[in-house]
């Protein structure tokens, strides 16, 4: 059974700092890994999808890496802004997703 | 191209009543997934469906819960005889098919249906 862990559970940084969010999973036989953002009372917004054959994906200020052999992924958010405050969720599949509990990020203005 | 549409967004039921949650996947998506998010907990997989087929229901409670995805119309998650512990946010996601396989695996989520049982 796949177990997904996210560390830290919460993170508070001043505006402008870079964010580093960690995700680990126990079964390396994954199809892909997806990072989501969830705002309070809202649904999930897909940020990045990394296929199992890929090592990283980038979108704007976001960069996610994947190391299947060690069962780890890291989400980097450069130059954080108050609008980045949200809960970030990591999930792995096949094909239904197993989610981590999330990292709640607060970016202080 | 509209996203994944869920309704109702909020639903209040008394204990013992039935709750029906509907999900229309994104256009062109043939795979639907239901997840439940309990207060202060993470998302838990419930069921994975394709049109007219349940592919994986390993996360569904054995009693009172059922799901369908008919040939026409939205996917329905049905909860019979609701109890207070069923109060949660229920999220639907859809994914497109991929050449050479059943799905790309990339999921797109709706805004969720929040069920409150009084």
């Amino acid at each position: 059974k796949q177990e997904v862990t996210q560390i830290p559970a919460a993170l508070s940084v001043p505006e402008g700092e870079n964010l580093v969010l960690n995700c680990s999973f126990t079964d390396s036989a994954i199809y892909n890994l997806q990072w989501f953002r969830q705002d309070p009372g809202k649904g999930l917004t897909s940020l990045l999808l990394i296929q199992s054959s890929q090592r990283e994906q980038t979108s704007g200020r976001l960069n996610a890496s994947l190391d299947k052999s060690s069962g780890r992924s890291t989400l980097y958010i450069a130059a954080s802004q108050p609008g980045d405050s949200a809960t970030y969720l990591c999930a792995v599949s096949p094909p239904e997703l197993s989610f981590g509990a999330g990292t709640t990020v607060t970016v202080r203005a | 191209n509209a996203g994944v549409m869920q309704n109702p967004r909020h639903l209040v039921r008394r204990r013992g009543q039935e709750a029906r949650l509907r999900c229309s996947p994104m256009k062109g998506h043939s795979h639907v997934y239901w997840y439940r998010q309990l207060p202060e907990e993470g998302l838990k997989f419930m069921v994975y469906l394709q049109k007219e087929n349940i592919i994986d229901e390993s996360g569904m409670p054995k009693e009172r819960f059922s799901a369908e995805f008919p040939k026409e119309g939205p996917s329905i998650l049905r909860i019979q005889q609701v109890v207070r512990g069923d109060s949660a946010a229920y999220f639907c996601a859809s994914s497109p098919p991929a050449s050479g396989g059943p799905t790309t695996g990339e999921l797109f989520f709706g805004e969720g249906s929040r069920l409150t049982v009084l």
Side-chain angles (χ1 to χ4, degrees), chain A residues 71-82:
Chain A
R72 294 177 189 275
S73 177
T74 302
L75 177 66
Y76 301 89
I77 304 177
S80 62
Q81 303 168 359

Side-chain angles (χ1 to χ4, degrees), chain A residues 31-32 34 36 38 41-44 46 49 89 95-97 99, chain B residues 35 37 43 45 48 56 91 103-107 109-111 114:
Chain A
Y31 190 74
N32 62 43
Q34 211 168 340
F36 295 90
Q38 186 176 28
K42 300 290 187 180
L44 279 70
S46 179
L49 170 75
L89 298 164
E96 60 276 1
L97 294 173
F99 279 86
Chain B
Y35 290 80
Q37 187 173 40
L43 280 116
F45 166 76
Y48 163 37
D56 182 351
F91 289 95
T103 177
T104 65
E106 181 173 14
L107 269 61
F109 280 78
E111 290 288 306
R114 283 156 181 81

Side-chain angles (χ1 to χ4, degrees), chain A residues 11-99:
Chain A
L11 188 59
S12 178
V13 299
E15 183 176 4
E17 265 200 22
N18 297 330
L19 290 162
V20 181
L21 309 179
N22 297 299
C23 171
S24 61
F25 45 95
T26 53
D27 186 348
S28 62
I30 64 170
Y31 190 74
N32 62 43
L33 183 144
Q34 211 168 340
W35 282 94
F36 295 90
R37 168 187 173 137
Q38 186 176 28
D39 293 286
K42 300 290 187 180
L44 279 70
T45 301
S46 179
L47 298 175
L48 290 167
L49 170 75
I50 312 177
Q51 301 286 359
S52 61
S53 58
Q54 297 174 320
R55 296 298 297 264
E56 68 175 346
Q57 278 288 340
T58 298
S59 175
R61 294 184 295 112
L62 276 60
N63 174 276
S65 65
L66 173 63
D67 184 342
K68 268 183 55 177
S69 61
S70 66
R72 294 177 189 275
S73 177
T74 302
L75 177 66
Y76 301 89
I77 304 177
S80 62
Q81 303 168 359
D84 294 329
S85 298
T87 296
Y88 292 82
L89 298 164
C90 162
V92 297
S93 71
E96 60 276 1
L97 294 173
S98 297
F99 279 86

